[in-house]
Tab-separated table of all heavy atoms in Angstrom:
chain	number	residue	atom	x	y	z
A	358	ILE	N	-25.013	-9.150	12.938
A	358	ILE	CA	-24.085	-9.155	14.067
A	358	ILE	C	-23.005	-8.120	13.793
A	358	ILE	O	-22.251	-8.234	12.823
A	358	ILE	CB	-23.472	-10.544	14.290
A	358	ILE	CG1	-24.557	-11.561	14.636
A	358	ILE	CG2	-22.420	-10.488	15.405
A	358	ILE	CD1	-24.046	-12.976	14.820
A	359	CYS	N	-22.943	-7.093	14.637
A	359	CYS	CA	-21.998	-5.995	14.447
A	359	CYS	C	-20.770	-6.108	15.334
A	359	CYS	O	-19.702	-5.597	14.986
A	359	CYS	CB	-22.694	-4.658	14.724
A	359	CYS	SG	-24.121	-4.335	13.680
A	360	SER	N	-20.910	-6.745	16.497
A	360	SER	CA	-19.804	-6.850	17.450
A	360	SER	C	-19.970	-8.126	18.244
A	360	SER	O	-21.078	-8.661	18.361
A	360	SER	CB	-19.783	-5.633	18.393
A	360	SER	OG	-21.029	-5.516	19.069
A	361	SER	N	-18.864	-8.614	18.808
A	361	SER	CA	-18.937	-9.863	19.573
A	361	SER	C	-17.721	-9.995	20.471
A	361	SER	O	-16.687	-9.352	20.265
A	361	SER	CB	-19.033	-11.077	18.633
A	361	SER	OG	-17.992	-11.079	17.672
A	362	ILE	N	-17.858	-10.848	21.490
A	362	ILE	CA	-16.769	-11.138	22.417
A	362	ILE	C	-17.004	-12.523	23.000
A	362	ILE	O	-18.154	-12.952	23.170
A	362	ILE	CB	-16.699	-10.071	23.550
A	362	ILE	CG1	-15.459	-10.275	24.417
A	362	ILE	CG2	-17.965	-10.074	24.392
A	362	ILE	CD1	-15.251	-9.160	25.434
A	363	ILE	N	-15.923	-13.251	23.272
A	363	ILE	CA	-16.009	-14.566	23.914
A	363	ILE	C	-15.491	-14.445	25.341
A	363	ILE	O	-14.414	-13.887	25.574
A	363	ILE	CB	-15.219	-15.630	23.133
A	363	ILE	CG1	-15.892	-15.897	21.786
A	363	ILE	CG2	-15.110	-16.926	23.936
A	363	ILE	CD1	-15.162	-16.902	20.923
A	364	ILE	N	-16.255	-14.976	26.297
A	364	ILE	CA	-15.917	-14.889	27.711
A	364	ILE	C	-16.026	-16.276	28.323
A	364	ILE	O	-16.969	-17.021	28.049
A	364	ILE	CB	-16.847	-13.901	28.441
A	364	ILE	CG1	-16.627	-12.483	27.907
A	364	ILE	CG2	-16.624	-13.941	29.946
A	364	ILE	CD1	-17.592	-11.461	28.459
A	365	SER	N	-15.063	-16.628	29.165
A	365	SER	CA	-15.097	-17.912	29.865
A	365	SER	C	-15.995	-17.804	31.084
A	365	SER	O	-15.899	-16.854	31.867
A	365	SER	CB	-13.694	-18.326	30.310
A	365	SER	OG	-12.851	-18.538	29.207
A	366	GLU	N	-16.866	-18.760	31.256
A	366	GLU	CA	-17.747	-18.794	32.419
A	366	GLU	C	-17.039	-19.511	33.561
A	366	GLU	O	-16.532	-20.619	33.403
A	366	GLU	CB	-19.048	-19.517	32.073
A	366	GLU	CG	-20.097	-19.436	33.167
A	366	GLU	CD	-21.381	-20.127	32.751
A	366	GLU	OE1	-21.293	-21.288	32.310
A	366	GLU	OE2	-22.456	-19.517	32.872
A	367	ASN	N	-17.000	-18.882	34.717
A	367	ASN	CA	-16.279	-19.449	35.864
A	367	ASN	C	-17.156	-20.439	36.623
A	367	ASN	O	-17.588	-20.201	37.751
A	367	ASN	CB	-15.827	-18.327	36.806
A	367	ASN	CG	-14.824	-17.400	36.157
A	367	ASN	OD1	-13.975	-17.860	35.394
A	367	ASN	ND2	-14.924	-16.113	36.436
A	368	ASP	N	-17.452	-21.555	35.978
A	368	ASP	CA	-18.294	-22.570	36.616
A	368	ASP	C	-17.554	-23.882	36.818
A	368	ASP	O	-18.158	-24.894	37.157
A	368	ASP	CB	-19.544	-22.814	35.768
A	368	ASP	CG	-19.206	-23.325	34.370
A	368	ASP	OD1	-18.004	-23.395	34.037
A	368	ASP	OD2	-20.135	-23.658	33.626
A	369	GLY	N	-16.228	-23.870	36.608
A	369	GLY	CA	-15.438	-25.074	36.794
A	369	GLY	C	-15.485	-26.029	35.623
A	369	GLY	O	-14.833	-27.067	35.633
A	370	GLN	N	-16.243	-25.709	34.592
A	370	GLN	CA	-16.386	-26.596	33.443
A	370	GLN	C	-15.778	-26.010	32.171
A	370	GLN	O	-15.933	-26.577	31.099
A	370	GLN	CB	-17.874	-26.893	33.203
A	370	GLN	CG	-18.537	-27.568	34.394
A	370	GLN	CD	-20.001	-27.863	34.123
A	370	GLN	OE1	-20.444	-27.915	32.969
A	370	GLN	NE2	-20.768	-28.049	35.182
A	371	ASN	N	-15.090	-24.875	32.311
A	371	ASN	CA	-14.402	-24.245	31.180
A	371	ASN	C	-15.339	-23.972	30.010
A	371	ASN	O	-15.000	-24.165	28.850
A	371	ASN	CB	-13.238	-25.129	30.716
A	371	ASN	CG	-12.268	-24.360	29.834
A	371	ASN	OD1	-12.101	-23.160	29.981
A	371	ASN	ND2	-11.624	-25.059	28.915
A	372	ASN	N	-16.569	-23.527	30.340
A	372	ASN	CA	-17.526	-23.184	29.298
A	372	ASN	C	-17.213	-21.808	28.711
A	372	ASN	O	-16.857	-20.884	29.432
A	372	ASN	CB	-18.956	-23.174	29.851
A	372	ASN	CG	-19.494	-24.570	30.072
A	372	ASN	OD1	-19.097	-25.500	29.378
A	372	ASN	ND2	-20.377	-24.731	31.038
A	373	GLU	N	-17.363	-21.694	27.410
A	373	GLU	CA	-17.134	-20.434	26.718
A	373	GLU	C	-18.464	-19.907	26.197
A	373	GLU	O	-19.242	-20.642	25.592
A	373	GLU	CB	-16.165	-20.628	25.547
A	373	GLU	CG	-14.815	-21.228	25.928
A	373	GLU	CD	-13.848	-20.175	26.452
A	373	GLU	OE1	-14.189	-18.987	26.373
A	373	GLU	OE2	-12.769	-20.550	26.930
A	374	ILE	N	-18.701	-18.618	26.456
A	374	ILE	CA	-19.930	-17.970	26.010
A	374	ILE	C	-19.568	-16.885	25.014
A	374	ILE	O	-18.634	-16.119	25.230
A	374	ILE	CB	-20.699	-17.345	27.185
A	374	ILE	CG1	-21.033	-18.404	28.238
A	374	ILE	CG2	-21.979	-16.665	26.699
A	374	ILE	CD1	-21.692	-17.836	29.467
A	375	ILE	N	-20.305	-16.827	23.907
A	375	ILE	CA	-20.137	-15.731	22.967
A	375	ILE	C	-21.296	-14.758	23.155
A	375	ILE	O	-22.468	-15.145	23.174
A	375	ILE	CB	-20.057	-16.232	21.506
A	375	ILE	CG1	-19.831	-15.043	20.567
A	375	ILE	CG2	-21.259	-17.059	21.108
A	375	ILE	CD1	-19.474	-15.426	19.151
A	376	TYR	N	-20.960	-13.497	23.369
A	376	TYR	CA	-21.943	-12.415	23.416
A	376	TYR	C	-21.820	-11.642	22.112
A	376	TYR	O	-20.713	-11.393	21.638
A	376	TYR	CB	-21.666	-11.480	24.589
A	376	TYR	CG	-21.879	-12.098	25.950
A	376	TYR	CD1	-20.848	-12.774	26.598
A	376	TYR	CD2	-23.120	-12.008	26.592
A	376	TYR	CE1	-21.041	-13.343	27.843
A	376	TYR	CE2	-23.311	-12.574	27.846
A	376	TYR	CZ	-22.269	-13.240	28.468
A	376	TYR	OH	-22.463	-13.804	29.700
A	377	PHE	N	-22.945	-11.258	21.524
A	377	PHE	CA	-22.851	-10.448	20.319
A	377	PHE	C	-23.950	-9.392	20.275
A	377	PHE	O	-25.070	-9.601	20.741
A	377	PHE	CB	-22.840	-11.304	19.046
A	377	PHE	CG	-23.944	-12.317	18.921
A	377	PHE	CD1	-25.141	-11.985	18.316
A	377	PHE	CD2	-23.765	-13.608	19.387
A	377	PHE	CE1	-26.150	-12.930	18.180
A	377	PHE	CE2	-24.764	-14.553	19.260
A	377	PHE	CZ	-25.970	-14.216	18.657
A	378	GLY	N	-23.549	-8.217	19.759
A	378	GLY	CA	-24.463	-7.099	19.604
A	378	GLY	C	-24.894	-6.969	18.166
A	378	GLY	O	-24.151	-7.306	17.233
A	379	THR	N	-26.096	-6.451	17.960
A	379	THR	CA	-26.686	-6.471	16.623
A	379	THR	C	-27.017	-5.070	16.109
A	379	THR	O	-26.938	-4.074	16.823
A	379	THR	CB	-27.981	-7.310	16.625
A	379	THR	OG1	-29.012	-6.577	17.312
A	379	THR	CG2	-27.757	-8.654	17.298
A	380	SER	N	-27.440	-5.048	14.851
A	380	SER	CA	-27.775	-3.800	14.177
A	380	SER	C	-29.068	-3.185	14.692
A	380	SER	O	-29.367	-2.032	14.374
A	380	SER	CB	-27.892	-4.053	12.671
A	380	SER	OG	-28.816	-5.104	12.411
A	381	SER	N	-29.845	-3.921	15.487
A	381	SER	CA	-31.077	-3.380	16.078
A	381	SER	C	-30.911	-3.047	17.553
A	381	SER	O	-31.902	-2.801	18.243
A	381	SER	CB	-32.235	-4.370	15.893
A	381	SER	OG	-31.977	-5.567	16.612
A	382	GLY	N	-29.660	-3.045	18.051
A	382	GLY	CA	-29.415	-2.684	19.438
A	382	GLY	C	-29.664	-3.794	20.439
A	382	GLY	O	-29.784	-3.534	21.639
A	383	CYS	N	-29.725	-5.037	19.971
A	383	CYS	CA	-29.945	-6.178	20.861
A	383	CYS	C	-28.614	-6.796	21.273
A	383	CYS	O	-27.615	-6.720	20.553
A	383	CYS	CB	-30.802	-7.244	20.187
A	383	CYS	SG	-32.484	-6.698	19.833
A	384	LEU	N	-28.639	-7.452	22.427
A	384	LEU	CA	-27.486	-8.198	22.920
A	384	LEU	C	-27.917	-9.640	23.136
A	384	LEU	O	-28.924	-9.902	23.805
A	384	LEU	CB	-26.972	-7.586	24.227
A	384	LEU	CG	-25.674	-8.141	24.814
A	384	LEU	CD1	-24.497	-7.893	23.865
A	384	LEU	CD2	-25.384	-7.500	26.169
A	385	TYR	N	-27.171	-10.567	22.538
A	385	TYR	CA	-27.466	-11.991	22.631
A	385	TYR	C	-26.280	-12.718	23.250
A	385	TYR	O	-25.159	-12.207	23.278
A	385	TYR	CB	-27.710	-12.599	21.239
A	385	TYR	CG	-28.975	-12.186	20.557
A	385	TYR	CD1	-29.057	-10.980	19.871
A	385	TYR	CD2	-30.094	-13.014	20.559
A	385	TYR	CE1	-30.211	-10.601	19.206
A	385	TYR	CE2	-31.257	-12.648	19.890
A	385	TYR	CZ	-31.315	-11.440	19.217
A	385	TYR	OH	-32.457	-11.075	18.558
A	386	ARG	N	-26.555	-13.951	23.710
A	386	ARG	CA	-25.463	-14.823	24.141
A	386	ARG	C	-25.768	-16.257	23.748
A	386	ARG	O	-26.924	-16.663	23.597
A	386	ARG	CB	-25.221	-14.723	25.641
A	386	ARG	CG	-26.317	-15.310	26.505
A	386	ARG	CD	-25.904	-15.253	27.971
A	386	ARG	NE	-26.991	-15.693	28.839
A	386	ARG	CZ	-26.936	-15.655	30.165
A	386	ARG	NH1	-25.849	-15.189	30.763
A	386	ARG	NH2	-27.962	-16.063	30.887
A	387	SER	N	-24.689	-17.027	23.583
A	387	SER	CA	-24.822	-18.422	23.208
A	387	SER	C	-23.601	-19.180	23.688
A	387	SER	O	-22.506	-18.623	23.770
A	387	SER	CB	-24.962	-18.547	21.685
A	387	SER	OG	-25.242	-19.877	21.305
A	388	TRP	N	-23.775	-20.452	24.039
A	388	TRP	CA	-22.654	-21.278	24.481
A	388	TRP	C	-21.991	-21.921	23.258
A	388	TRP	O	-22.672	-22.501	22.409
A	388	TRP	CB	-23.151	-22.341	25.449
A	388	TRP	CG	-23.290	-21.829	26.846
A	388	TRP	CD1	-22.430	-22.015	27.889
A	388	TRP	CD2	-24.363	-21.017	27.358
A	388	TRP	NE1	-22.887	-21.366	29.017
A	388	TRP	CE2	-24.064	-20.741	28.726
A	388	TRP	CE3	-25.525	-20.476	26.808
A	388	TRP	CZ2	-24.911	-19.974	29.528
A	388	TRP	CZ3	-26.348	-19.707	27.606
A	388	TRP	CH2	-26.044	-19.469	28.944
A	389	LEU	N	-20.673	-21.816	23.201
A	389	LEU	CA	-19.952	-22.336	22.041
A	389	LEU	C	-20.118	-23.832	21.872
A	389	LEU	O	-19.972	-24.365	20.767
A	389	LEU	CB	-18.465	-21.993	22.145
A	389	LEU	CG	-18.065	-20.515	22.036
A	389	LEU	CD1	-16.555	-20.386	21.982
A	389	LEU	CD2	-18.694	-19.860	20.822
A	390	SER	N	-20.374	-24.528	22.950
A	390	SER	CA	-20.505	-25.990	22.873
A	390	SER	C	-21.877	-26.429	22.376
A	390	SER	O	-22.073	-27.604	22.058
A	390	SER	CB	-20.259	-26.602	24.255
A	390	SER	OG	-21.186	-26.081	25.207
A	391	GLN	N	-22.835	-25.488	22.294
A	391	GLN	CA	-24.206	-25.879	21.977
A	391	GLN	C	-24.678	-25.391	20.611
A	391	GLN	O	-25.257	-26.150	19.840
A	391	GLN	CB	-25.159	-25.357	23.059
A	391	GLN	CG	-24.871	-25.919	24.438
A	391	GLN	CD	-25.751	-25.296	25.512
A	391	GLN	OE1	-26.661	-24.528	25.219
A	391	GLN	NE2	-25.473	-25.617	26.767
A	392	GLY	N	-24.475	-24.132	20.318
A	392	GLY	CA	-24.975	-23.594	19.064
A	392	GLY	C	-26.480	-23.421	19.101
A	392	GLY	O	-27.096	-23.296	20.158
A	393	GLY	N	-27.089	-23.399	17.909
A	393	GLY	CA	-28.530	-23.249	17.828
A	393	GLY	C	-28.974	-21.815	18.050
A	393	GLY	O	-28.230	-20.859	17.855
A	394	GLU	N	-30.242	-21.659	18.491
A	394	GLU	CA	-30.802	-20.336	18.709
A	394	GLU	C	-30.186	-19.694	19.947
A	394	GLU	O	-30.024	-20.335	20.982
A	394	GLU	CB	-32.323	-20.420	18.879
A	394	GLU	CG	-33.004	-19.070	19.015
A	394	GLU	CD	-34.508	-19.206	19.175
A	394	GLU	OE1	-34.999	-20.355	19.239
A	394	GLU	OE2	-35.188	-18.172	19.232
A	395	SER	N	-29.835	-18.419	19.849
A	395	SER	CA	-29.192	-17.697	20.945
A	395	SER	C	-30.228	-17.050	21.850
A	395	SER	O	-31.382	-16.833	21.464
A	395	SER	CB	-28.240	-16.632	20.397
A	395	SER	OG	-27.266	-17.214	19.558
A	396	GLU	N	-29.790	-16.711	23.049
A	396	GLU	CA	-30.661	-16.100	24.047
A	396	GLU	C	-30.516	-14.580	24.005
A	396	GLU	O	-29.415	-14.050	24.112
A	396	GLU	CB	-30.289	-16.604	25.444
A	396	GLU	CG	-31.064	-15.948	26.569
A	396	GLU	CD	-30.520	-16.295	27.943
A	396	GLU	OE1	-29.488	-17.004	28.003
A	396	GLU	OE2	-31.120	-15.844	28.935
A	397	LYS	N	-31.641	-13.887	23.843
A	397	LYS	CA	-31.614	-12.421	23.870
A	397	LYS	C	-31.620	-11.959	25.323
A	397	LYS	O	-32.496	-12.335	26.102
A	397	LYS	CB	-32.804	-11.834	23.140
A	397	LYS	CG	-32.802	-10.305	23.085
A	397	LYS	CD	-34.090	-9.737	22.523
A	397	LYS	CE	-34.231	-10.044	21.041
A	397	LYS	NZ	-35.419	-9.348	20.443
A	398	ILE	N	-30.626	-11.114	25.680
A	398	ILE	CA	-30.542	-10.652	27.062
A	398	ILE	C	-30.744	-9.147	27.195
A	398	ILE	O	-30.838	-8.629	28.304
A	398	ILE	CB	-29.197	-11.050	27.706
A	398	ILE	CG1	-28.022	-10.445	26.937
A	398	ILE	CG2	-29.060	-12.562	27.786
A	398	ILE	CD1	-26.675	-10.741	27.584
A	399	TYR	N	-30.825	-8.436	26.061
A	399	TYR	CA	-31.067	-6.996	26.130
A	399	TYR	C	-31.650	-6.523	24.813
A	399	TYR	O	-31.249	-6.964	23.738
A	399	TYR	CB	-29.768	-6.232	26.420
A	399	TYR	CG	-29.914	-4.731	26.343
A	399	TYR	CD1	-30.492	-4.010	27.381
A	399	TYR	CD2	-29.487	-4.038	25.214
A	399	TYR	CE1	-30.651	-2.632	27.294
A	399	TYR	CE2	-29.634	-2.662	25.119
A	399	TYR	CZ	-30.215	-1.962	26.161
A	399	TYR	OH	-30.368	-0.603	26.075
A	400	GLN	N	-32.617	-5.607	24.913
A	400	GLN	CA	-33.219	-4.975	23.752
A	400	GLN	C	-33.229	-3.476	23.969
A	400	GLN	O	-33.770	-2.980	24.962
A	400	GLN	CB	-34.651	-5.474	23.544
A	400	GLN	CG	-35.461	-4.674	22.540
A	400	GLN	CD	-35.009	-4.902	21.101
A	400	GLN	OE1	-35.089	-6.011	20.594
A	400	GLN	NE2	-34.525	-3.845	20.453
A	401	ALA	N	-32.627	-2.718	23.061
A	401	ALA	CA	-32.598	-1.262	23.191
A	401	ALA	C	-34.008	-0.690	23.026
A	401	ALA	O	-34.790	-1.169	22.200
A	401	ALA	CB	-31.658	-0.660	22.157
A	402	ASN	N	-34.315	0.329	23.823
A	402	ASN	CA	-35.596	1.021	23.683
A	402	ASN	C	-35.583	1.980	22.503
A	402	ASN	O	-36.619	2.257	21.902
A	402	ASN	CB	-35.920	1.794	24.970
A	402	ASN	CG	-36.134	0.870	26.159
A	402	ASN	OD1	-36.714	-0.196	26.005
A	402	ASN	ND2	-35.676	1.292	27.322
A	403	GLU	N	-34.406	2.490	22.175
A	403	GLU	CA	-34.277	3.443	21.086
A	403	GLU	C	-34.276	2.714	19.732
A	403	GLU	O	-33.872	1.566	19.633
A	403	GLU	CB	-32.991	4.259	21.216
A	403	GLU	CG	-32.904	5.065	22.499
A	403	GLU	CD	-32.395	4.251	23.679
A	403	GLU	OE1	-32.179	3.021	23.504
A	403	GLU	OE2	-32.227	4.824	24.760
A	404	ARG	N	-34.717	3.416	18.714
A	404	ARG	CA	-34.699	2.842	17.370
A	404	ARG	C	-33.417	3.249	16.647
A	404	ARG	O	-32.777	4.243	16.973
A	404	ARG	CB	-35.917	3.329	16.575
A	404	ARG	CG	-37.254	2.895	17.163
A	404	ARG	CD	-38.390	3.356	16.284
A	404	ARG	NE	-38.294	2.783	14.940
A	404	ARG	CZ	-39.141	3.085	13.960
A	404	ARG	NH1	-40.117	3.945	14.160
A	404	ARG	NH2	-38.983	2.534	12.760
A	405	ASP	N	-33.050	2.484	15.659
A	405	ASP	CA	-31.924	2.808	14.771
A	405	ASP	C	-30.605	2.939	15.526
A	405	ASP	O	-29.798	3.830	15.245
A	405	ASP	CB	-32.202	4.096	13.994
A	405	ASP	CG	-33.453	3.995	13.134
A	405	ASP	OD1	-33.688	2.910	12.575
A	405	ASP	OD2	-34.184	4.993	13.044
A	406	VAL	N	-30.370	2.087	16.507
A	406	VAL	CA	-29.072	2.049	17.176
A	406	VAL	C	-28.500	0.649	17.048
A	406	VAL	O	-29.228	-0.345	17.071
A	406	VAL	CB	-29.150	2.447	18.670
A	406	VAL	CG1	-29.567	3.893	18.816
A	406	VAL	CG2	-30.082	1.524	19.439
A	407	SER	N	-27.196	0.583	16.892
A	407	SER	CA	-26.487	-0.698	16.812
A	407	SER	C	-25.528	-0.801	17.987
A	407	SER	O	-25.018	0.215	18.478
A	407	SER	CB	-25.702	-0.802	15.498
A	407	SER	OG	-26.541	-0.642	14.382
A	408	ILE	N	-25.261	-2.031	18.429
A	408	ILE	CA	-24.193	-2.267	19.400
A	408	ILE	C	-22.926	-2.518	18.603
A	408	ILE	O	-22.762	-3.551	17.963
A	408	ILE	CB	-24.526	-3.440	20.331
A	408	ILE	CG1	-25.754	-3.087	21.177
A	408	ILE	CG2	-23.339	-3.765	21.237
A	408	ILE	CD1	-26.182	-4.155	22.146
A	409	THR	N	-22.041	-1.535	18.615
A	409	THR	CA	-20.907	-1.505	17.698
A	409	THR	C	-19.599	-1.988	18.301
A	409	THR	O	-18.631	-2.229	17.578
A	409	THR	CB	-20.718	-0.078	17.173
A	409	THR	OG1	-20.769	0.838	18.282
A	409	THR	CG2	-21.821	0.286	16.197
A	410	ALA	N	-19.525	-2.113	19.635
A	410	ALA	CA	-18.279	-2.564	20.276
A	410	ALA	C	-18.599	-3.246	21.589
A	410	ALA	O	-19.501	-2.822	22.323
A	410	ALA	CB	-17.327	-1.386	20.508
A	411	LEU	N	-17.863	-4.313	21.893
A	411	LEU	CA	-18.002	-5.042	23.156
A	411	LEU	C	-16.620	-5.291	23.746
A	411	LEU	O	-15.677	-5.596	23.026
A	411	LEU	CB	-18.700	-6.394	22.939
A	411	LEU	CG	-20.188	-6.374	22.578
A	411	LEU	CD1	-20.635	-7.773	22.170
A	411	LEU	CD2	-21.026	-5.880	23.745
A	412	THR	N	-16.521	-5.156	25.058
A	412	THR	CA	-15.295	-5.525	25.755
A	412	THR	C	-15.659	-5.949	27.169
A	412	THR	O	-16.782	-5.713	27.629
A	412	THR	CB	-14.266	-4.366	25.760
A	412	THR	OG1	-13.016	-4.844	26.250
A	412	THR	CG2	-14.729	-3.222	26.639
A	413	SER	N	-14.735	-6.589	27.867
A	413	SER	CA	-14.990	-7.034	29.244
A	413	SER	C	-14.081	-6.276	30.198
A	413	SER	O	-12.979	-5.873	29.847
A	413	SER	CB	-14.768	-8.536	29.379
A	413	SER	OG	-13.440	-8.883	29.030
A	414	TRP	N	-14.554	-6.129	31.432
A	414	TRP	CA	-13.909	-5.273	32.419
A	414	TRP	C	-13.798	-6.060	33.724
A	414	TRP	O	-14.782	-6.309	34.390
A	414	TRP	CB	-14.774	-4.042	32.624
A	414	TRP	CG	-14.163	-2.906	33.375
A	414	TRP	CD1	-13.224	-2.953	34.349
A	414	TRP	CD2	-14.487	-1.527	33.207
A	414	TRP	NE1	-12.935	-1.708	34.810
A	414	TRP	CE2	-13.694	-0.807	34.118
A	414	TRP	CE3	-15.367	-0.833	32.401
A	414	TRP	CZ2	-13.765	0.580	34.244
A	414	TRP	CZ3	-15.432	0.539	32.519
A	414	TRP	CH2	-14.633	1.231	33.426
A	415	GLN	N	-12.594	-6.503	34.067
A	415	GLN	CA	-12.358	-7.239	35.311
A	415	GLN	C	-11.866	-6.280	36.371
A	415	GLN	O	-10.843	-5.619	36.191
A	415	GLN	CB	-11.320	-8.345	35.105
A	415	GLN	CG	-10.985	-9.137	36.361
A	415	GLN	CD	-12.145	-9.998	36.824
A	415	GLN	OE1	-12.605	-10.868	36.104
A	415	GLN	NE2	-12.629	-9.745	38.025
A	416	ARG	N	-12.579	-6.171	37.477
A	416	ARG	CA	-12.204	-5.249	38.540
A	416	ARG	C	-10.993	-5.788	39.298
A	416	ARG	O	-10.855	-6.992	39.533
A	416	ARG	CB	-13.362	-5.062	39.524
A	416	ARG	CG	-14.627	-4.542	38.875
A	416	ARG	CD	-14.547	-3.061	38.612
A	416	ARG	NE	-14.608	-2.313	39.847
A	416	ARG	CZ	-15.752	-1.972	40.453
A	416	ARG	NH1	-16.910	-2.322	39.926
A	416	ARG	NH2	-15.727	-1.280	41.570
A	417	ILE	N	-10.075	-4.875	39.693
A	417	ILE	CA	-8.865	-5.273	40.404
A	417	ILE	C	-9.188	-5.922	41.744
A	417	ILE	O	-8.598	-6.928	42.137
A	417	ILE	CB	-7.955	-4.047	40.625
A	417	ILE	CG1	-7.372	-3.581	39.292
A	417	ILE	CG2	-6.820	-4.359	41.597
A	417	ILE	CD1	-6.432	-4.564	38.642
A	418	ASP	N	-10.163	-5.358	42.466
A	418	ASP	CA	-10.492	-5.901	43.790
A	418	ASP	C	-11.376	-7.136	43.703
A	418	ASP	O	-11.718	-7.739	44.715
A	418	ASP	CB	-11.173	-4.837	44.655
A	418	ASP	CG	-12.428	-4.267	43.999
A	418	ASP	OD1	-12.883	-4.848	42.987
A	418	ASP	OD2	-12.955	-3.256	44.500
Side-chain angles (χ1 to χ4, degrees):
I358 298 178
C359 301
S360 57
S361 53
I362 187 173
I363 292 178
I364 295 174
S365 296
E366 188 178 51
N367 296 323
D368 61 355
Q370 300 181 20
N371 196 30
N372 285 331
E373 303 277 352
I374 302 175
I375 182 169
Y376 293 89
F377 51 90
T379 73
S380 54
S381 65
C383 295
L384 187 63
Y385 290 82
R386 69 175 175 185
S387 187
W388 277 259
L389 293 187
S390 59
Q391 298 175 7
E394 184 180 3
S395 302
E396 175 189 3
K397 182 188 291 187
I398 60 177
Y399 173 78
Q400 168 72 63
N402 295 322
E403 300 83 356
R404 297 183 61 183
D405 300 323
V406 295
S407 303
I408 296 180
T409 47
L411 290 170
T412 190
S413 59
W414 192 330
Q415 178 69 60
R416 302 282 289 275
I417 291 294
D418 57 11

